[in-house]
């Protein structure tokens, strides 16, 4: 399978010098003869990489064009969208004002560095923050609107710019945010609870903190919504993760999360009568864990997911001091691979299912015992396209045609290479949770404690 993520990661390899030796050479810190050898070797390597990259890209773009044509023939792009040459095409009709994210360049880069526009400013009282530590951080640094009211395009662009996540992964995440609690025609959504600054064109826009669609049980540092505010940082829960990481050389890596997720699963299964571990739970809770050790380490040392790099995002909602983003884009295919490793490393199977009251766990019959990376990536697609009773924003339930046009135009093409069984993509319209997400007045987090 050749996803375009592979092409982008080759591109990034050619553009940056992730190797410390290369950085020394670039800075002029190597003896002249050594530097000359390095640049000569790299020039040769780059030509080879570029040729290979161009070939992969041509193939992908051809596949995208073919898929685009098929979508047109099937009438799936009724409101525009679709993927051509690695870029989403504009929307039309009711979605005309919905801006699409644009692919960004990838390279090792200090974030925010000395960029005056993007220094930390503590959130204003009127600003919204929620349960995604990285969105909160992006807002505190003005990579998305400091108010915490963002858009589909803005958050997907910031996700690439600040974390070096791939176009596909960032578009997917931001689309999920928009669908969970935003206003589809304008693309606006609140990164916390419902907010008057987000229009209600199709129905109430409730914000991404709303439980059920994107916000799920078993979050890393937030409690299950059954027990209270599911958006606020919970220091005890985070500290417990820290002590688990301590057992693994202080690494917030795959092994620590394999242990932590089993602990949280059993805890919720035994104590939360409404514990919901469905398809969305599977996709979201596994992805958010692998994201930590793929996005938050210093790009200069990509495998070192230590406290110094992880904690500032969580406890202060700011980038670590002198922090570099990853140099190569992290794709949906990469995510699927990491999810499989995480599940395979877990000491228990964590069977997906739902508590219908305590001591009454009903499995949903999903076998996650031996997934392939491709199947794991498809669970991400199913988190959106799934037909089981869902928790879609109320306005979308009454506008399934618009919803489907968006899904077809903005998301389906990214999953085409994985051959996911995503059926007729009408997400379940059963709204079991329609309350607005919690939005706190108190949104300044310093060292893990809210300052009011
Ligand atoms: C760009 C749009 C994004 C949106 C709309 C979004 C939204 C969300 C939502 C709704 C949750 C709650 C999930 C839950 O209930 O457990 C969440 C959690 C999380 N997100 Fe994001 N996210 C985005 C991007 C990212 C990126 C790029 C990363 C990469 C590190 C990331 C990392 C996390 C982590 C680690 C959590 C778990 C928080 C915790 O419980 O400790 N998010 N995000
Ligand atoms: C958070 O910020 C406070 C105040 O600036 C600082 O003392 C603390 O070390 C920071 N915590 C982390 C984990 O970076
Ligand atoms: C990141 O790496 C750079 C270069 O090695 C280093 O100067 C900086 O202190 C590191 N920052 C963190 C937070 O690890
Ligand atoms: C929602 O789901 C419940 C339980 O699955 C079912 O009894 C109810 O009829 C559904 N409501 C709608 C509107 O589909």
């Amino acid at each position: 399978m050749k996803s375009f993520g592979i092409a982008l990661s080759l591109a990034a390899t050619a553009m940056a010098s992730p190797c410390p030796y290369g950085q020394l050479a670039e800075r002029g810190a190597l003896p002249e003869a050594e530097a000359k050898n390095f640049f000569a070797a790299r020039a040769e390597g780059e030509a080879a990489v570029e040729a290979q990259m161009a070939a992969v890209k041509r193939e992908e773009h051809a596949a995208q064009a073919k898929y685009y044509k098929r979508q047109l023939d099937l009438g799936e792009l009724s409101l525009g969208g679709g993927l051509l040459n690695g870029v989403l095409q504009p929307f039309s009709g009711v979605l005309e004002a919905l801006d699409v994210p644009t692919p960004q360049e990838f390279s090792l880069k200090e974030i925010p560095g000395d960029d005056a526009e993007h220094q930390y400013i503590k959130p204003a009282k009127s600003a919204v923050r929620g349960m995604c530590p990285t969105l909160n951080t992006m807002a505190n640094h003005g990579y998305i609107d400091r108010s915490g009211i963002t858009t589909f395009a803005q958050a997907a662009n910031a996700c690439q710019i600040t974390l070096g996540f791939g176009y596909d992964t960032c578009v997917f995440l931001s689309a999920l945010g928009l669908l969970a609690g935003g206003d589809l025609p304008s693309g606006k959504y609140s990164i916390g609870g419902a907010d008057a600054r987000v229009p209600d064109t199709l129905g109430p826009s409730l914000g991404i903190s709303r439980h059920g669609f994107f916000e799920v049980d078993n979050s890393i540092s937030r409690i299950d919504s059954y027990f209270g505010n599911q958006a606020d940082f919970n220091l005890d829960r985070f500290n417990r993760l820290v002590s688990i990481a301590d057992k693994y050389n202080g690494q917030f890596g795959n092994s620590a999360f394999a242990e932590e997720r089993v602990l949280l699963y059993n805890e919720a299964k035994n104590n939360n009568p409404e514990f919901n571990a469905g398809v969305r739970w599977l996709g979201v809770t596994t992805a958010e864990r692998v994201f930590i050790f793929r996005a938050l380490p210093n790009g200069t040392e990509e495998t070192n997911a230590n406290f110094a790099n992880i904690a500032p995002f969580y406890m202060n909602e700011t980038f670590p001091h002198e922090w570099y983003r990853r140099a190569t884009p992290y794709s949906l295919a990469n995510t699927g691979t990491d999810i499989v490793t995480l599940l395979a490393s877990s000491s228990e199977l964590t069977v997906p299912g739902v508590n219908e009251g305590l001591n009454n766990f009903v499995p949903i019959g999903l076998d996650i015992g031996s997934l392939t990376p491709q199947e794991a990536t498809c669970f991400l697609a199913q988190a959106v396209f799934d037909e089981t009773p869902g928790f879609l924003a109320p306005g979308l339930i009454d506008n399934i045609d618009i919803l489907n046009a968006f899904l077809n135009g903005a998301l389906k093409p990214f999953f085409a290479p994985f051959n996911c069984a995503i059926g007729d993509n009408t997400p379940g319209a059963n709204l079991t949770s329609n309350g607005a997400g919690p939005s706190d007045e108190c949104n300044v987090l310093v060292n893990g404690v809210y300052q009011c």
Side-chain angles (χ1 to χ4, degrees):
M1 166 214 60
K2 293 210 169 56
S3 87
F4 70 106
I6 293 168
L8 285 178
S9 60
L10 285 171
T13 314
M15 281 184 308
S17 204
C19 97
Y21 190 71
Q23 284 162 14
L24 287 176
E26 279 164 2
R27 265 193 274 129
L30 286 184
E32 201 179 323
E34 238 178 278
K36 215 170 146 192
N37 283 343
F38 170 79
F39 287 120
R42 191 175 70 173
E44 254 172 57
E46 270 178 16
V49 169
E50 264 164 30
Q52 193 185 354
M53 192 178 86
V56 173
K57 224 179 198 155
R58 264 197 308 277
E59 237 176 86
E60 279 167 13
H61 289 175
Q64 282 171 12
K66 208 167 136 193
Y67 191 76
Y68 184 79
K69 181 166 182 306
R70 206 173 100 203
Q71 286 200 296
L72 283 181
D73 289 346
L74 291 171
E76 287 186 351
L77 302 178
S78 53
L79 295 175
L83 192 60
L84 279 178
N85 295 320
V87 188
L88 283 180
Q89 301 304 295
F91 283 92
S92 57
V94 197
L95 299 183
E96 194 179 37
L98 177 69
D99 282 343
V100 295
T102 44
Q104 306 291 319
E105 64 95 22
F106 290 91
S107 62
L108 190 67
K109 185 178 177 190
E110 191 177 347
I111 301 290
D114 54 12
D115 186 340
E117 296 277 286
H118 294 298
Q119 300 305 308
Y120 175 89
I121 300 177
K122 73 173 188 181
K125 238 187 153 39
S126 60
V128 186
R129 296 293 180 266
M131 72 272 121
C132 179
T134 50
L135 284 178
N136 292 345
T137 298
M138 290 175 208
N140 288 343
H141 285 264
Y143 287 101
I144 61 175
D145 204 281
R146 291 185 187 267
S147 64
I149 308 302
T150 189
T151 67
F152 171 47
Q154 187 183 60
N157 291 344
C159 160
Q160 298 171 77
I161 292 167
T162 60
L163 301 173
F165 266 29
Y167 185 64
D168 60 345
T169 314
C170 290
V171 168
F172 169 76
L173 288 169
S174 196
L176 210 53
L178 177 58
L179 293 172
D183 177 63
L184 200 44
S186 65
K188 283 191 185 175
Y189 60 92
S190 152
I191 66 169
D195 193 284
R197 287 165 286 191
V198 180
D200 296 325
T201 316
L202 302 177
S205 302
L206 300 173
I208 67 168
S209 306
R210 189 175 55 97
H211 177 65
F213 188 73
F214 198 157
E215 199 297 313
V216 295
D217 293 332
N218 281 177
S219 303
I220 300 161
S221 67
R222 271 67 177 165
I223 60 174
D224 289 1
S225 71
Y226 177 81
F227 296 111
N229 186 318
Q230 73 271 23
D232 279 354
F233 177 76
N234 184 291
L235 187 56
D236 290 341
R237 208 161 163 115
F238 183 72
N239 282 337
R240 192 166 62 168
L241 169 67
V242 174
S243 56
I244 293 173
D246 280 343
K247 293 201 261 173
Y248 301 94
N249 292 321
Q251 288 296 309
F252 296 69
N254 179 70
S255 303
F257 284 116
E259 177 172 333
E260 178 259 5
R261 65 179 292 281
V262 169
L263 177 75
L264 262 57
Y265 171 86
N266 285 314
E267 207 169 71
K269 196 175 159 194
N270 294 334
N271 298 300
N272 177 353
E274 294 175 5
F275 179 43
N276 188 329
V279 177
R280 291 189 186 89
W281 162 88
L282 178 66
V284 173
T285 62
T286 52
E288 70 192 13
R289 283 168 173 79
V290 305
F291 282 177
I292 289 181
F293 55 88
R294 294 305 186 185
L296 309 188
N298 200 346
T300 56
E301 228 186 326
E302 278 187 6
T303 54
N304 187 7
N306 61 5
F307 184 88
N309 281 286
I310 310 304
F313 287 97
Y314 266 107
M315 301 179 75
N316 286 337
E317 301 186 331
T318 183
F319 292 98
H321 187 56
E322 294 184 349
W323 183 85
Y324 291 76
R325 70 180 184 198
R326 53 177 293 127
T328 55
Y330 183 75
S331 66
L332 290 172
N334 297 149
T335 311
T337 304
D338 282 336
I339 288 175
V340 167
T341 306
L342 180 64
L343 290 174
S345 318
S346 302
S347 61
E348 287 175 33
L349 196 53
T350 61
V351 174
V354 180
N355 263 349
E356 292 179 359
L358 283 182
N359 302 313
N360 189 25
F361 185 77
V362 184
I364 54 171
L366 196 64
D367 182 9
I368 57 168
S370 57
L371 293 179
T372 64
Q374 186 157 336
E375 285 166 340
T377 302
C378 288
F379 279 125
L380 299 176
Q382 280 166 30
V384 188
F385 292 97
D386 189 49
E387 286 181 65
T388 54
F391 302 81
L392 213 51
L396 298 179
I397 293 166
D398 302 327
N399 293 280
I400 290 288
D401 290 348
I402 301 176
L403 169 70
N404 276 332
F406 174 72
L407 291 176
N408 288 334
L411 281 186
K412 222 174 168 184
F414 291 107
F415 289 97
F418 304 99
N419 294 314
C420 304
I422 46 181
D424 74 349
N425 79 12
T426 301
N430 201 333
L431 195 69
T432 55
S433 156
N434 64 359
S439 193
D440 254 332
E441 300 272 292
C442 184
N443 53 22
V444 182
L445 197 53
V446 175
N447 227 11
V449 179
Y450 287 103
Q451 317 286 306
C452 298

